Structure formats: C-alpha cells, structure tokens
Amino acid sequence: MGIDSEADRREASKKRAGAAGSEQGEEPENASGETASEKRHASREDERRFPHVPASDDDDDAVVVLDADSGASRSRENTAHAREGAIAADGGERTDAGTEGESCSPTTCTCGEKTPPDAESQTQPVATDGGDANAVSGSSSELRSDGAGVANVDEMGELGDLEFTEPAEDVSQDVYDDAPDTRVGIPEGVDLDTPEYSIRSRMNDIETPDEKTWFMELDEAVIDEGRCIQCGTCVAACPSDSIGVGDDGLPELVKMCTGCSMCWDFCPRGGMRYERQWKITGGEDNVKGAGDPITEFSAKVEDDWTDGAQDGGVVTGVLSTLLEEGEIDGALVATESEEEEWKAESYLATTTEELIENAGTVYNQTLALGNLDLEQWEHKLPDKDWDDLSLAIVGTPCEIEGIRALQDFEWDYQAQNEGIRAVDYTIALMCTKNFNYHSLMGEQLEEQRGISPSEIGKMDVLDGKMMVYDHDGEMIVEEDIENFHDAALKGCDECADFTGFCSDITVGSVGSSDDYSSVIIRTEQGMNAWELTEPKLDYHDLEDKSAVGKLQGWDKKKAFESLERPFDPDAPRFIDYTDHAENYGTALNPHDQGH
C-alpha cells in the first residue's frame, strides 16, 4: 500500500466531516459495506502509520535533507521528485516539478518523470545485508540521501532485522569511499590551504633535536634530583607562562610546554654557567677572590626602627631612600607568611612603612623571580605605566645571577616578563646556603630541638654558626651550621657565589662587628644608591676584608667538590642538556623513558 495522494486525503477529510455532522443513530454503510466509524478508524490507522508533511502554500517550509554523498545539506528540490513551488538552490522557484495537485511517493509517481515500480516490487523489503536494494526505488543509500525512505524500514513502516559489520581489529575501519583527508562541503570559490592528515604520521617520525630542551629535562635533572634552589628563574624565563609554583614550593608545569629551552638555559643549576655570568657582569676580576668591588664599608642606619632589622638595617635604609627619592616605584622583598610563621613569601613594598615592617632575614627561598609578574602586584601599582616602572629586588646570589642573565640576554620580553625589564637595582645577601622551610623549622628546630616557630624572634647565620633568638633577644640556639645540613637545599652545595658577584650592592654580616652590616658596592648603579643613602648612615671602611675573602674561598672549595661539571668562566654561558646529562648521569631523553 502506498501513501495516500493529496486528493485522497482531502476526500477522506470531507467524509469524516460529513459523518461527524450526522444525527446519532445507526451508522449507514457505504458502497463497500464499511460504516462511517470503520472508515474513520482506518483513516486514523493510516495517519499513524504514515506521518506526513502538511500541505503548505508557503515556500519557506521547503524541507532540507542531508546529502549523503557530499556531507552538505540541500533542499529536497535536488531529489528526483520535488513538490511544486519548492525553493530552488539558486534562490529561484522550481517550475518543473509537475502540475498542481500532483504528488510523488516512494512507490507512486504522478509527475511523469519516473515510472512507478510494479506491484510485486512494492512489497519487497529493503535489503539490509549490503546487497541489491533496488526493489524500492534504488539502493538503500539512495533512499537515505533523497529522503524517500530509510534503510531497514519497509513500505509499511516496520523495522526490519539489523545486521552489523564486525569492526576490523588493530586498525581504524575505513568508512569513507574517499581518502580521510578529503575536504567535503567546501563553498565554491573558497581555497582552504590546510595540511593533510598524513602530516601527522610524518611528524611522528621526526626525532627531537638534542639542542631542543623541555621542562621535562629540567624536572629530571634538577627538580627531581633535589638540586632546585628555588630561585624562580625558570618561571620568569618561560615566554608561554607555562611554569608555576607547586604546593611544595617547587616549579611545576601548569600548561603545555613548547620546548623553547629557556627554562633550562637560565637555571643556575641547569643550563646556565653561572661563573660565566660573573664575568659578563663584572669582567675578569669578578672571578677572583671576592670580586673587584668599587668600595666596601661597615655601616648601620641610625634610627629606632633598626631594632627589628638584620644587623645594621642597611638594606631597608637603601630601599627606603630609593623610594623617597623617586628612583624606584617598589622593591621586591621577603615577608613572613600570614599562615605559617617564619615561612618566606615575596612581597612588593611600595612605602617606607612596608619596608620597615618587613625588615629582617627569613632563611628560606621565595622563588623571587617567579613573582616578578606585574599583574600580581597591579593593585599596588595604581596608575603606573609599566614601561616606565622601576623596581629593586633583594635576593640571594643565585637569584641575582638569574635576573642578570635574563636582562643581559637579547630576547623578546612577553607581557609576564615586563617585571624583569623593570628591575633597575639589585641587592644580594651574602649566602653560603639556604634552607627548606619544612625541614629547618619543622624537623630541625621544632621536632629535634623542641623550639616552636612562634617562639623565635630572630635568626642569623654568622661565623659558621646557626643562631636563634627569642622575642626578648635571648639566644636559644647556637650550633655549627653543619648540624643543619640536612635541612639545606642540596643545590646550594654547588654554588661558589657567596658575595653575589652579579649584584649592584652586596650586604651581609661577615667582616663587621655586631649591629653593623658589611656593604660591598659593585657597580655605578650601586654607587648611586649608596650616595643617596649615605647621609642616614653611620659607616666606616670594612672592618675585616679578609673574613669575607676567606668565607668566599671556603664557599668556592665546597662548590668545586660538589660540581659534576667543569668550572669554566670562559666557556659559553649556556650548557647543552646533552653535556649536562653526560656529566651528571641523568636521562638523555626522559620522555622516551616514561618520565
């Protein structure tokens, strides 16, 4: 049985209307013996079995179907039969679809363009096994493409048996007649110049050049090996902002690594030959002894606030003067965490009050260079033009090595690196080693010595001793620094830079008496800061230059014993990962070893 023609449906509708308007009583039979009720029931059955698109005089309701051959949608006017008045593909109106009142179905043609199938073929089901399905107006694919029928559904609307093709094993099953990289549905006149899918397989065969280094290599050779000194240089160097700081205070990958190699190149324990940076910054004499400073002093600030400062309070005095004179807009210093006592965090001080409040030394790292992202401090720099911004930074010698290397190297500063360019003054703190916060405060002091961080008022490392004072100034710990070796950062053993050769000013306690700071002026920029601060200072020549030189020599000796690579100030600044791996025995290609 085929779908009723439009004329048949209109006639049935009239009969139903007439039957509905008759008086109640015995229903009359028609010529074939059917009652009106039976006729209505049959009509409803037909409607349920064969849902259809209502007739419409509005051309906007042209049915859109899927073109299975090209993947593009198209109007039903592209099929073998189209109703009169349908919208043509070119925006015009179809005029060749037959005459008014004529309509075609999958089994009935009234437009004269197609010979209807014979009666026998009308009852033949659609093939579901991939064989010949021409019994119903062509193959099953033709039925799907022209909207005249559905595969596995017979002319009565009944779903037939389904047969599935078993998927191929170990290979992708080809479900296309064309190659998978063939573009379909491209508008006429549009040329899409895109690589073919086959480029992926070719890229998979390309070996990564040895000189291209990823964060994975830095992680393998430095961080996982416990040699990270938490300077933050890798975070500052990353042009894609892919490196952040983990909960353990160590650098970690926070988004995809691009393999630019910069985190490796600028790491003072990885690819940066720090002794070469000494020479680049200060010349040949910077490698000998304690360097070749312009001048050296023992100094202290004469003010009441110095009671809470380290030694003579010179660092705070210099920074506050630079702020007052308009030389800088802020200084990146260390502050004590609000959550954990004596845990250091980076802080951008923009007033003298903030500097005084954060005076003193906290003996763990802050990843200072990782906190030079100016957006982090935007709330403290209102209405400041970042291109004209001037900052000072206080850090350990390794941190100053990192910032100097980044500033000396010609590379494209990205938005997150504007803070590197803004640093105009550097102050290095004399340092033989730094500590892991949890190991020093938790294990060494609290667990082993019963001293809670809340009891500590001041800490100092002087004359090879660790000194801890309470809030009343009473000493509660005085031990050889070697007793705290297990809490020290392992990477500090390889550092030969006790006095911060790359800084503008070096400040420490070695070489001066109590309440005085030892100050080494290394550059013209440092001299400018000193001259501005001089009126506030009580100072004289450095009391014991030999003490500084001896400790610098001891620090170098320890470093030479720990370094697995040659110490060579004349070699290139950057060490290839392959050379490092050869010296330190780390994996050459960790990504190939399931890192």
Side-chain angles (χ1 to χ4, degrees):
M1 180 185 296
I3 298 176
D4 293 337
S5 69
E6 188 65 29
D8 293 336
R9 286 195 292 270
R10 286 199 296 269
E11 184 64 27
S13 177
K14 290 177 182 178
K15 290 179 180 180
R16 288 195 300 274
S22 65
E23 296 181 358
Q24 290 184 349
E26 185 176 352
E27 298 183 24
E29 295 183 354
N30 59 17
S32 62
E34 285 182 306
T35 67
S37 177
E38 291 171 339
K39 182 71 174 180
R40 287 195 300 273
H41 179 73
S43 177
R44 285 196 299 271
E45 283 294 302
D46 289 345
E47 289 178 356
R48 282 197 297 269
R49 184 174 299 152
F50 300 112
H52 57 272
V53 178
S56 173
D57 294 330
D58 187 356
D59 287 338
D60 289 339
D61 70 345
V63 180
V64 177
V65 297
L66 189 66
D67 186 338
D69 292 331
S70 66
S73 61
R74 56 188 174 89
S75 169
R76 190 183 295 279
E77 58 88 14
N78 286 328
T79 63
H81 303 69
R83 68 179 177 83
E84 184 179 12
I87 303 299
D90 59 2
E93 191 172 288
R94 294 284 300 189
T95 59
D96 57 348
T99 60
E100 183 178 358
E102 294 176 337
S103 175
C104 297
S105 73
T107 59
T108 305
C109 175
T110 61
C111 67
E113 292 187 4
K114 186 173 180 181
T115 303
D118 55 30
E120 181 181 356
S121 67
Q122 293 181 24
T123 60
Q124 187 171 344
V126 178
T128 60
D129 58 358
D132 186 11
N134 288 331
V136 182
S137 64
S139 68
S140 59
S141 63
E142 288 174 340
L143 287 174
R144 289 191 298 273
S145 67
D146 65 12
V150 181
N152 303 316
V153 178
D154 63 19
E155 73 279 3
M156 299 299 294
E158 299 295 334
L159 184 66
D161 294 334
L162 302 179
E163 294 184 10
F164 295 96
T165 303
E166 290 293 328
E169 296 183 2
D170 301 324
V171 295
S172 295
Q173 185 165 334
D174 186 8
V175 294
Y176 301 97
D177 293 331
D178 298 322
D181 58 355
T182 300
R183 300 297 297 269
V184 296
I186 302 174
E188 185 177 352
V190 176
D191 182 20
L192 298 181
D193 185 16
T194 56
E196 297 180 349
Y197 285 85
S198 56
I199 193 173
R200 294 182 180 179
S201 60
R202 295 202 299 271
M203 289 177 67
N204 290 339
D205 295 333
I206 298 175
E207 293 184 3
T208 301
D210 289 338
E211 65 271 13
K212 187 175 180 65
T213 309
W214 306 78
F215 178 81
M216 184 179 294
E217 276 85 354
L218 180 68
D219 197 14
E220 167 80 9
V222 177
I223 301 172
D224 279 358
E225 288 294 312
R227 298 173 55 238
C228 177
I229 49 178
Q230 299 176 325
C231 62
T233 310
C234 58
V235 181
C238 181
S240 60
D241 206 16
S242 297
I243 305 174
V245 182
D247 294 336
D248 57 0
L250 297 172
E252 69 175 8
L253 203 64
V254 295
K255 64 181 182 181
M256 186 181 71
C257 175
T258 63
C260 71
S261 308
M262 293 183 69
C263 64
W264 170 260
D265 288 342
F266 288 98
C267 173
R269 294 300 170 267
M272 189 175 81
R273 198 183 309 272
Y274 64 79
E275 66 271 22
R276 176 62 177 171
Q277 186 60 45
W278 299 353
K279 191 170 182 178
I280 293 173
T281 302
E284 193 75 40
D285 291 336
N286 218 19
V287 182
K288 303 173 182 176
D292 186 25
I294 294 176
T295 188
E296 301 161 288
F297 301 98
S298 293
K300 68 176 181 179
V301 176
E302 294 186 309
D303 208 319
D304 294 339
W305 59 259
T306 58
D307 291 342
Q310 198 79 3
D311 304 316
V314 171
V315 172
T316 303
V318 170
L319 294 176
S320 61
T321 300
L322 292 175
L323 271 176
E324 292 166 4
E325 295 293 331
E327 288 287 313
I328 60 174
D329 298 295
L332 194 68
V333 298
T335 188
E336 185 177 347
S337 169
E338 294 181 359
E339 286 77 25
E340 299 178 89
E341 293 176 295
W342 285 93
K343 180 175 174 56
E345 293 180 350
S346 285
Y347 181 75
L348 186 68
T350 55
T351 66
T352 297
E353 291 73 21
E354 290 177 338
L355 287 169
I356 293 173
E357 184 180 348
N358 291 287
T361 299
V362 186
Y363 284 94
N364 50 89
Q365 291 283 64
T366 65
L367 277 96
L369 272 61
N371 290 280
L372 276 174
D373 181 356
L374 296 184
E375 290 185 356
Q376 177 180 347
W377 308 110
E378 191 171 10
H379 64 289
K380 295 184 67 63
L381 300 167
D383 305 322
K384 292 289 184 181
D385 185 350
W386 289 2
D387 289 335
D388 298 327
L389 199 66
S390 179
L391 301 177
I393 187 171
V394 181
T396 54
C398 55
E399 290 173 329
I400 307 304
E401 289 167 356
I403 191 69
R404 278 288 192 244
L406 289 168
Q407 290 181 330
D408 291 342
F409 192 70
E410 293 185 4
W411 60 298
D412 182 21
Y413 287 88
Q414 303 298 314
Q416 69 271 18
N417 301 121
E418 289 174 333
I420 296 171
R421 186 169 23 190
V423 174
D424 290 326
Y425 289 88
T426 60
I427 299 178
L429 304 175
M430 294 182 184
C431 178
T432 56
K433 60 182 63 179
N434 217 319
F435 301 90
N436 175 279
Y437 169 76
H438 297 289
S439 297
L440 177 63
M441 305 305 298
E443 297 172 7
Q444 294 289 330
L445 290 177
E446 188 165 26
E447 294 179 11
Q448 297 185 22
R449 292 166 177 82
I451 299 173
S452 170
S454 61
E455 299 177 51
I456 300 173
K458 182 179 179 180
M459 299 178 66
D460 203 353
V461 176
L462 183 64
D463 298 329
K465 303 266 186 196
M466 168 68 78
M467 301 176 183
V468 181
Y469 303 84
D470 63 16
H471 293 283
D472 295 327
E474 295 294 326
M475 184 178 292
I476 52 180
V477 172
E478 183 181 13
E479 296 184 33
D480 288 342
I481 192 66
E482 290 301 318
N483 294 344
F484 297 86
H485 179 75
D486 291 343
L489 298 176
K490 181 180 175 182
C492 292
D493 293 342
E494 298 181 27
C495 178
D497 190 4
F498 166 62
T499 57
F501 292 146
C502 297
S503 63
D504 295 312
I505 302 174
T506 298
V507 180
S509 56
V510 176
S512 296
S513 56
D514 292 348
D515 298 330
Y516 278 83
S517 297
S518 297
V519 183
I520 302 174
I521 311 299
R522 297 188 176 279
T523 67
E524 292 297 332
Q525 192 80 326
M527 198 66 205
N528 178 60
W530 171 264
E531 290 174 349
L532 290 172
T533 312
E534 184 182 356
K536 302 178 181 180
L537 301 174
D538 172 14
Y539 68 94
H540 46 266
D541 287 344
L542 184 62
E543 296 168 8
D544 191 353
K545 293 183 180 181
S546 63
V548 177
K550 287 178 181 178
L551 194 50
Q552 176 67 68
W554 175 87
D555 199 47
K556 277 187 176 180
K557 181 177 182 296
K558 297 291 290 185
F560 296 160
E561 293 173 354
S562 300
L563 274 174
E564 300 291 337
R565 63 168 178 81
F567 182 90
D568 188 355
D570 294 319
R573 173 160 41 187
F574 298 135
I575 305 166
D576 288 341
Y577 181 77
T578 50
D579 293 339
H580 181 94
E582 182 177 347
N583 287 313
Y584 281 83
T586 54
L588 185 59
N589 295 300
H591 49 281
D592 293 338
Q593 301 183 21
H595 178 86

